[in-house]
Amino acid sequence: MDLQTLYRTVIMDNYKNPKNKGLLKTDKYHFVHLNNPSCGDDMNVEINIQDGVVSEIHHDGKGCSICCSSASVMSDVLKGKTVDEAHELINDFYEMVKGNEPKNEEALGEAIAYMGVRDFPARIKCATLSWKAVEQAINEVTNK
Ligand code: ZN
């Protein structure tokens, strides 16, 4: 499958059938809200960290298909990773959408499809919004 097809397929699949969507908003979770005014994307993320592992990630938001699908993929890729692994993957994702080669293509899984965003710089903020929200959530929990 070429990158363009993969890009479209992953976005459509995760937009129609998002994974880990819906917030529980209990005390167990740490909540972060971010938005991207340039596109109108609005993203909420909540996480639970147990013994240094990001054990649960939920997202809910509205916005374009790139932003919403990326939140689904992000939650699937980062769930179950250690805090260190999650930081590495988040940074790898940021580098990849800017056009750099990802360090760990296999661990990025479906997120690799967003490599296509490098050809549409205006959409980088859409693709990274949920990743920035989860990064902030992890930092706020681990710096406590
Ligand atoms: Zn967007």
Side-chain angles (χ1 to χ4, degrees):
M1 200 185 283
D2 65 56
L3 185 61
Q4 276 299 329
T5 311
L6 180 71
Y7 180 58
R8 262 183 252 120
T9 306
V10 168
I11 288 173
M12 283 323 294
D13 284 355
N14 284 279
Y15 188 62
K16 284 186 197 152
N17 299 303
K19 301 173 187 108
N20 305 303
K21 186 168 180 174
L23 304 178
L24 298 178
K25 287 210 165 179
T26 65
D27 291 347
K28 189 178 155 191
Y29 298 97
H30 186 78
F31 173 81
V32 166
H33 168 248
L34 286 182
N35 64 356
N36 167 23
S38 66
C39 180
D41 301 322
D42 194 86
M43 184 53 60
N44 300 297
V45 164
E46 65 178 18
I47 64 165
N48 182 27
I49 296 182
Q50 295 241 324
D51 304 323
V53 172
V54 187
S55 58
E56 284 175 83
I57 304 175
H58 303 139
H59 61 92
D60 200 7
K62 46 187 194 310
C64 67
S65 57
I66 295 177
C67 175
C68 294
S69 63
S70 182
S72 166
V73 171
M74 175 280 292
S75 67
D76 199 40
V77 168
L78 297 183
K79 192 173 150 183
K81 299 289 191 293
T82 66
V83 166
D84 288 345
E85 287 167 344
H87 278 304
E88 276 177 33
L89 286 166
I90 291 165
N91 287 318
D92 217 10
F93 186 78
Y94 293 162
E95 289 302 312
M96 185 189 74
V97 295
K98 283 190 283 183
N100 297 317
E101 282 301 313
K103 289 195 198 95
N104 197 340
E105 209 171 312
E106 205 176 305
L108 279 170
E110 274 196 319
I112 216 79
Y114 294 85
M115 193 184 279
V117 173
R118 66 189 174 191
D119 298 325
F120 309 95
R123 311 314 294 272
I124 290 175
K125 278 186 184 165
C126 302
T128 56
L129 186 65
S130 63
W131 296 71
K132 288 199 185 299
V134 87
E135 181 183 34
Q136 186 180 324
I138 292 170
N139 285 337
E140 285 175 5
V141 172
T142 54
N143 291 340
K144 257 179 202 166

